[in-house]
Amino acid sequence: MGSLVEELVGVLGAAQVSADETVLASYAVDQAPVLDFQLPEAVVFAGSVADVQAVVRLCGAHKVSVVARGAGTGVSGGAHASRNSVVLSLERMNRILDLNPEDETAVVEPGVINAALNEAAAPHGLMYAPDPASFRTSTIGGNVATNAGGLRCAKYGVTRDSVLALDVVMADGSLIHTGHQTFKGVAGYDLTGLFVGSEGTLGIVVGATVRLKYLPREVHTIAAFYPDFRQAAAGVLAVGRARVQPAIMELLDGGTLAQLDEIHGSDLSVRGRSLLLIQTDGFGAAAEADVVRSVLAAGGARVSTEATAEAEQLVELRRNSRGAEVDDQYRVGEDVAVPRSRLVDYVAVLEDLAAEHHVNLKVVAHAGDGNLHPTFWVDRKDSAVDTDAMERLNLALDASVTAALAMGGTITGEHGIGQYKLRWLGLEQPEPVRQLQRRIKDLFDPAGILNPGKAI
Amino acid sequence: MGSLVEELVGVLGAAQVSADETVLASYAVDQAPVLDFQLPEAVVFAGSVADVQAVVRLCGAHKVSVVARGAGTGVSGGAHASRNSVVLSLERMNRILDLNPEDETAVVEPGVINAALNEAAAPHGLMYAPDPASFRTSTIGGNVATNAGGLRCAKYGVTRDSVLALDVVMADGSLIHTGHQTFKGVAGYDLTGLFVGSEGTLGIVVGATVRLKYLPREVHTIAAFYPDFRQAAAGVLAVGRARVQPAIMELLDGGTLAQLDEIHGSDLSVRGRSLLLIQTDGFGAAAEADVVRSVLAAGGARVSTEATAEAEQLVELRRNSRGAEVDDQYRVGEDVAVPRSRLVDYVAVLEDLAAEHHVNLKVVAHAGDGNLHPTFWVDRKDSAVDTDAMERLNLALDASVTAALAMGGTITGEHGIGQYKLRWLGLEQPEPVRQLQRRIKDLFDPAGILNPGKAI
C-alpha cells in the first residue's frame, strides 16, 4: 500500500496525509464500541472538494475503501476504519460559505462545527435547529451522515428536515448537486434525503445548504421532579394530551440524577427519583409553560418555581450527561425509540430487565420523540469477582432492543446503524427491505469502496 | 389486450374493472394540461392491497403499464394515462385504519381524502398538516405521490415531513414496508423519502403512517392590502425579518383580486392592488399577529382591523382561487419557487414578462416558502383575432421558468414534474443527476411498467 500513500502525498501534499501510527490509531475509531479494530492505511485531511475527488479516485484505483469522517463524535461506529481503508477527514473543510439572513439559509462545508453555525446565525435571529448532544464538537457533515437528532427535534425536526441541498462526491469521484436552495422543491426523486443518514456509504457529502429557523426570543424552562420514573414518563404523555409542543422534553431517571450529583455536586437526587425537563419557546412560550406546569403538577410532579437560570443549568447538565461517563463502570447503551403511547410501558420493561439481569440502569430520553437512551452498567470492581457481568449486560441490552421492536419501535432513533447496530438491523427490517438497500448501495458504489460494512 | 381485461375481471370481479369508454375517458387525465392524450386499456378500482398486487402482476405479465391514481386532482399530469396502460384507482381504499391520539399518528389507506383525515383528527385536538388547495377532494396517497405542499407548509412542512412509514407494492407485485411508527428513526436508507414524491414510478403506495400535529386553539388572520404587488412581496420579507413564523402567508396580486371580485361579488380590488393574507396560530398567535400588523403597516400596507371571521373568509376565497378558472380565457400556469430574498425581484420579472409578451398576469403565492403560482392568460375572444396569443403565452411561461432558475429557484415547488414539466427538468437538473434517477428507476422497476414517462 505504500504506493497509495505516496500518490496521496503527491496529489495533496504531505501536510494533508498522515501514515503516522499515532494519527492512524486516533482516527481509527469514533466514540462507538469497537467490535473489529482496524488501523487505516492513511488519514487524509481534505481541504477542498477537489481533494475529496482525488482521494476517492486514487482509492478506487487502488481498491482501497474510503471512510469519511467529521469530528468522530458518532456513537455507532459509522466512522470506524475498516480493513484496507483510508480515513478521509473533512474537519479542515470548515468554512461557512454563505449565510443569507433573508433567505434564511446557509451553505456550509462539511467540517463546519454545529455550534459554529449557530453562533454565526444567532446575530441574525436565526438558528440551525438540529442539536445533537455533541453540537459543540460535531460537524454538519457528520450530522448529515447520521441524520442526527438532538433535544429540539420534537418541535424542530431532525437533520433531514433542515437540509435543502447537498454537494456529494460519488464513488467514481464525480461531483453532483442534489436538492434545491428554496424551502420547497419536488423536482425528481429525493436524492438529498437518500444521502442524509447514509453514513458515507452512497457518496461523500462535501457541502450542504441548510434552512435556518427563527431563534426564539423567549424560552421558558420547567423542571419537574417525580417520585419515580414511570410517573415522569406519564407526564410526557400528559403534556402531549394538553396539545402543547415543547421545544425540549427530556426525561432523566434516578440513576442519571445520581450520576450528575456525583459529578457536579448537585442535589438532584434529593429532590426526586426522576426529572422531566421541559423548554417551551417562541411567542407562546409563557402561555405554554403555564399549561405544562399545571398539567405536570396534576400528575404528581414537584414543579420547579425556581428562576429560569437554574432550570436552564439543568438543561446544560442534561446536554453534557453523555460526556460524564466514568471509567470504573462497564456499560452498554442504546438509542431505541418507541411510539409515545408506549413510553410508560417501555420504561417499566427496562426496569424489569435491569432487575432480572442484576445490572444497574440509567435512562435519559428525548421523551417528546419517544427516543430513549438506556444504559445498563455494572461497577468495574464488582465485575472482577463477577465474571458473567458483561454477558448479563449484553443480555439486558439485547432484550431491551427486542422489547422496543415488539412495541412498534426502532433500534435507532438518531445515532444511526453504523457498524455497532448491524447485529439488530435484521430484527427491524425484513430481508426484502435490506436487499433493496444493498441494491441501491451497489448502484451508487459498484466497487463497494465507500465505507463498507456500515449503515445497511 | 382483451385478455388482460378478462384476467383483471377474473381476479377482481367485474365491479372493480371498467373498459367503458366514458369511464376510460374520465380516468385518462388528471387536472393538468394534456400533451399526449391516451385512453387506458382499463380502469381498475382496487379495494385492497391484494388487489393492487394482483393488478401489478397481471399488468407486468402482459407488459402493460400501471398508472396509479388517487382523486385525479394533480395538476402536472402525474396521473395521465400513457399508451398501453391500465389506470389503477386507489380511491376505494379509503379507510382510516388507525388514529392514535397518544402516539399522534394515523395509519391510512391511500384513498383517504385529506379533509377526512383532518375531520377524524380534529376531535382529538390533532390535524394532518399538509393542506394542498385540493384538500377537500385529494387523497393522502396522491399527496404522498406528489409530496404535496399547501398553505401551511412554511410552518408545518410538506407531505414528506408528515410521513413516517409507507406500505408499497413494488413492480414485481411484492409488498414492502418502509420507515418507522416512531417520530424518529434512522435505520438504513431513507426509502420512505424516496417513494414520497416519486409519482408512482418506483412503487405504488398502498398505506401510509403519518404524524399528526397539534390543532392550534387560537388562530389570528391578518389581511394587508397594498398599492402594488412588489410592496406586498416586500412585506413577506419584512415579516421574516421580524422572525415571526406565520402558519400561512399568501400573496394575491391585483389580477387575482379582480377575478375573485368577479366571481364572489367582493370588493377586494377597491381596497388594494395586492393582498397579503397571514395567519398566525398556536399559543403565541396573538402576540405574533401584533408584530405582523405593525411590521406590515410600517411597510405601507392597509392592515385589516376587521373581525377574524371576515379575514378567514378571505383565506377561504384564496383556498378556492384555483378552482375559479373561467372558460373564456386561455391560460398557462406555473409552480416555481425562488429563494425568499428574490421574491420582490421575481415578481418584478413576472410583471415585465407580461408587458413584454402582451399577456395578462395573475399571481398567487405561498409567499412564506417563496413558492409562486403565476398564471399568464389572454381572453378567448381576443385570441380569435390574435392568432399568436398561445405562442406569446408559452413564451412568457418559458421565460418565467428560466428566470426562476436563474435566481436559484426550482421549476416545481409542490405540484411535481408529472408529464407536463418534463420539458423544463433538464434546465434544472444536469444530466448526471437525471441519469442517477433513471438508474434508480431501472433498479426499482426494471420492466418500466410503473407510470412510465413521468417524474424524472
Side-chain angles (χ1 to χ4, degrees):
Chain A
M1 290 315 309
S3 74
L4 171 59
V5 174
E6 282 162 23
E7 285 183 43
L8 288 168
V9 170
V11 173
L12 299 171
Q16 289 179 237
V17 182
S18 178
D20 177 273
E21 284 279 334
T22 318
V23 174
L24 296 185
S26 70
Y27 280 82
V29 294
D30 59 27
Q31 293 183 14
V34 180
L35 305 175
D36 173 32
F37 183 81
Q38 300 286 344
L39 275 188
E41 305 298 322
V43 179
V44 177
F45 300 89
S48 67
V49 172
D51 285 353
V52 174
Q53 293 182 281
V55 171
V56 170
R57 287 190 176 121
L58 280 175
C59 286
H62 285 262
K63 301 191 194 316
V64 170
S65 303
V66 181
V67 179
R69 178 186 172 102
T73 56
V75 290
S76 294
H80 282 356
S82 46
R83 207 168 59 78
N84 193 34
S85 73
V86 162
V87 167
L88 173 60
S89 168
L90 299 157
E91 62 199 310
R92 292 186 191 172
M93 292 178 67
N94 61 0
R95 290 176 303 166
I96 297 172
L97 300 175
D98 185 49
L99 197 158
N100 189 320
E102 296 257 270
D103 287 345
E104 301 161 13
T105 57
V107 180
V108 299
E109 291 187 325
V112 169
I113 303 292
N114 181 305
L117 178 55
N118 270 299
E119 273 161 37
H124 302 287
L126 297 169
M127 67 176 183
Y128 176 66
D131 62 341
S134 60
F135 75 101
R136 284 197 191 82
T137 49
S138 65
T139 65
I140 303 294
N143 296 170
V144 169
T146 56
N147 193 10
L151 277 62
R152 293 191 291 227
C153 299
K155 179 167 181 175
Y156 292 101
V158 295
T159 296
R160 170 68 193 102
D161 302 305
S162 285
V163 175
L164 299 174
L166 292 174
D167 298 301
V168 183
V169 171
M170 304 295 286
D172 64 0
S174 65
L175 175 68
I176 68 167
H177 182 78
T178 71
H180 39 85
Q181 290 175 250
T182 49
F183 289 171
K184 284 157 81 180
V186 292
Y189 299 151
D190 183 10
L191 297 175
T192 305
L194 194 54
F195 284 115
V196 174
S198 68
E199 300 184 348
T201 63
L202 298 179
I204 296 174
V205 171
V206 293
T209 303
V210 299
R211 177 176 178 174
L212 303 171
K213 299 283 176 74
Y214 298 156
L215 193 65
R217 293 188 212 179
E218 204 172 332
V219 174
H220 285 253
T221 307
I222 298 151
F225 286 91
Y226 285 86
D228 67 50
F229 196 38
R230 297 183 199 190
Q231 278 186 62
V236 174
L237 298 184
V239 172
R241 248 176 256 125
R243 302 307 183 216
V244 172
Q245 179 65 68
I248 287 178
M249 186 143 52
E250 295 292 309
L251 189 57
L252 292 75
D253 76 343
T256 305
L257 296 183
Q259 190 193 47
L260 289 173
D261 285 344
E262 208 174 301
I263 298 167
H264 301 283
S266 47
D267 65 343
L268 303 177
S269 301
V270 180
R271 298 163 73 183
R273 292 301 301 154
S274 186
L275 170 60
L276 183 56
L277 270 177
I278 292 182
Q279 272 187 348
T280 59
D281 71 9
F283 286 84
E288 290 173 339
D290 284 345
V291 174
V292 168
R293 274 194 207 93
S294 71
V295 161
L296 296 185
R302 253 185 58 204
V303 183
S304 65
T305 50
E306 63 232 279
T308 286
E310 194 179 342
E312 273 170 16
Q313 203 181 359
L314 292 178
V315 174
E316 280 311 292
L317 287 186
R318 159 61 191 107
R319 281 196 188 274
N320 295 322
S321 63
R322 194 185 166 84
E325 305 295 0
V326 283
D327 276 346
D328 57 356
Q329 295 170 355
Y330 288 115
R331 298 173 302 275
V332 290
E334 252 320 297
D335 167 43
V336 297
V338 295
R340 284 169 55 119
S341 66
R342 307 309 300 274
L343 260 179
V344 180
D345 297 338
Y346 188 67
V347 164
V349 167
L350 288 174
E351 291 179 340
D352 292 348
L353 283 174
E356 178 188 345
H357 294 285
H358 306 290
V359 295
N360 300 297
L361 169 70
K362 60 191 171 94
V363 187
V364 293
H366 306 312
D369 293 318
N371 184 194
L372 301 104
H373 300 312
T375 302
F376 297 105
W377 54 276
V378 293
D379 282 337
R380 207 173 273 253
K381 59 182 187 306
D382 295 345
S383 68
V385 292
D386 177 6
T387 48
D388 65 346
M390 283 308 292
E391 196 187 340
R392 293 204 317 274
L393 277 182
N394 270 305
L395 286 174
L397 181 67
D398 284 342
S400 75
V401 169
T402 311
L405 289 172
M407 290 183 181
T410 175
I411 64 172
T412 177
E414 59 178 11
H415 292 170
I417 295 294
Q419 191 181 68
Y420 176 52
K421 291 181 194 159
L422 283 174
R423 69 196 256 207
W424 299 306
L425 187 53
L427 300 175
E428 178 166 343
Q429 297 183 339
E431 187 54 27
V433 170
R434 296 193 69 185
Q435 187 60 32
L436 184 58
Q437 293 173 79
R438 286 186 207 111
R439 292 171 66 202
I440 291 172
K441 164 73 175 169
D442 288 345
L443 177 65
F444 280 68
D445 177 23
I449 64 162
L450 296 178
N451 208 11
K454 314 285 173 63
I456 61 166
Chain B
M1 286 318 307
S3 73
L4 170 60
V5 174
E6 281 162 23
E7 285 183 43
L8 288 168
V9 171
V11 173
L12 300 172
Q16 290 180 237
V17 182
S18 178
D20 177 272
E21 284 281 333
T22 318
V23 174
L24 296 184
S26 69
Y27 280 83
V29 295
D30 59 27
Q31 294 184 13
V34 180
L35 304 174
D36 172 32
F37 183 82
Q38 300 286 344
L39 275 189
E41 306 298 321
V43 179
V44 177
F45 300 90
S48 68
V49 172
D51 285 353
V52 174
Q53 293 182 282
V55 171
V56 170
R57 287 191 175 121
L58 280 175
C59 287
H62 284 264
K63 301 193 194 317
V64 170
S65 303
V66 182
V67 180
R69 177 187 174 102
T73 56
V75 291
S76 294
H80 281 356
S82 47
R83 208 170 58 79
N84 194 32
S85 72
V86 161
V87 167
L88 172 60
S89 167
L90 298 157
E91 61 199 310
R92 292 186 191 172
M93 291 178 67
N94 61 0
R95 290 177 303 166
I96 297 173
L97 301 176
D98 184 50
L99 198 158
N100 189 321
E102 296 257 272
D103 286 346
E104 301 161 13
T105 57
V107 181
V108 299
E109 291 187 325
V112 169
I113 302 294
N114 182 304
L117 178 56
N118 270 298
E119 275 161 37
H124 303 287
L126 297 169
M127 67 176 183
Y128 176 67
D131 62 341
S134 60
F135 75 101
R136 286 197 190 82
T137 50
S138 65
T139 65
I140 303 293
N143 295 169
V144 168
T146 56
N147 193 9
L151 277 63
R152 294 191 290 227
C153 301
K155 179 166 181 176
Y156 292 101
V158 294
T159 296
R160 170 67 193 101
D161 302 305
S162 285
V163 175
L164 299 174
L166 293 175
D167 298 300
V168 184
V169 170
M170 304 295 286
D172 64 0
S174 64
L175 176 69
I176 68 167
H177 182 79
T178 71
H180 38 85
Q181 289 175 250
T182 49
F183 288 171
K184 285 157 80 181
V186 292
Y189 299 151
D190 183 11
L191 297 175
T192 305
L194 194 54
F195 285 114
V196 174
S198 68
E199 301 184 349
T201 63
L202 299 179
I204 296 174
V205 171
V206 292
T209 303
V210 299
R211 177 176 177 173
L212 303 171
K213 299 283 177 74
Y214 297 156
L215 193 64
R217 294 188 212 178
E218 205 171 330
V219 174
H220 286 251
T221 307
I222 299 151
F225 286 91
Y226 285 87
D228 66 50
F229 195 40
R230 297 184 199 189
Q231 279 188 61
V236 174
L237 297 185
V239 172
R241 248 176 255 125
R243 302 307 182 217
V244 172
Q245 179 64 70
I248 288 178
M249 186 143 51
E250 296 291 309
L251 189 56
L252 292 75
D253 77 343
T256 305
L257 296 182
Q259 191 192 46
L260 289 173
D261 285 345
E262 210 174 300
I263 298 167
H264 301 282
S266 47
D267 66 341
L268 304 176
S269 301
V270 180
R271 299 162 72 183
R273 291 302 300 154
S274 186
L275 170 61
L276 183 57
L277 268 178
I278 292 181
Q279 272 187 348
T280 59
D281 70 10
F283 285 85
E288 289 173 339
D290 283 346
V291 174
V292 168
R293 274 194 207 95
S294 72
V295 161
L296 297 184
R302 253 185 58 204
V303 182
S304 64
T305 49
E306 63 233 277
T308 287
E310 193 178 342
E312 272 170 17
Q313 203 182 358
L314 293 177
V315 174
E316 280 310 294
L317 287 186
R318 158 63 193 106
R319 282 197 189 273
N320 296 321
S321 62
R322 193 185 169 85
E325 304 294 359
V326 282
D327 276 344
D328 58 354
Q329 294 172 357
Y330 289 115
R331 298 173 302 274
V332 290
E334 252 320 299
D335 167 44
V336 298
V338 296
R340 286 169 54 118
S341 67
R342 307 309 301 275
L343 259 179
V344 181
D345 297 340
Y346 188 68
V347 164
V349 167
L350 288 174
E351 291 179 340
D352 292 348
L353 283 174
E356 180 188 342
H357 293 285
H358 306 291
V359 296
N360 300 297
L361 169 70
K362 60 190 172 95
V363 186
V364 293
H366 306 311
D369 293 317
N371 184 195
L372 302 103
H373 299 311
T375 302
F376 296 105
W377 55 277
V378 292
D379 283 336
R380 209 174 271 255
K381 60 182 188 302
D382 295 346
S383 67
V385 292
D386 177 6
T387 48
D388 65 345
M390 283 307 292
E391 196 187 339
R392 295 205 314 276
L393 278 181
N394 271 304
L395 284 174
L397 180 67
D398 284 343
S400 74
V401 168
T402 310
L405 288 171
M407 290 183 181
T410 175
I411 64 172
T412 178
E414 58 177 13
H415 291 170
I417 295 296
Q419 190 182 67
Y420 176 52
K421 291 180 194 159
L422 283 173
R423 70 197 256 208
W424 299 306
L425 187 54
L427 300 175
E428 177 165 344
Q429 297 183 337
E431 187 53 26
V433 170
R434 297 193 69 185
Q435 187 61 33
L436 185 58
Q437 294 172 79
R438 286 187 207 111
R439 292 171 66 202
I440 291 173
K441 165 72 175 169
D442 288 345
L443 178 64
F444 280 67
D445 178 24
I449 64 162
L450 296 178
N451 209 10
K454 314 287 173 62
I456 62 168

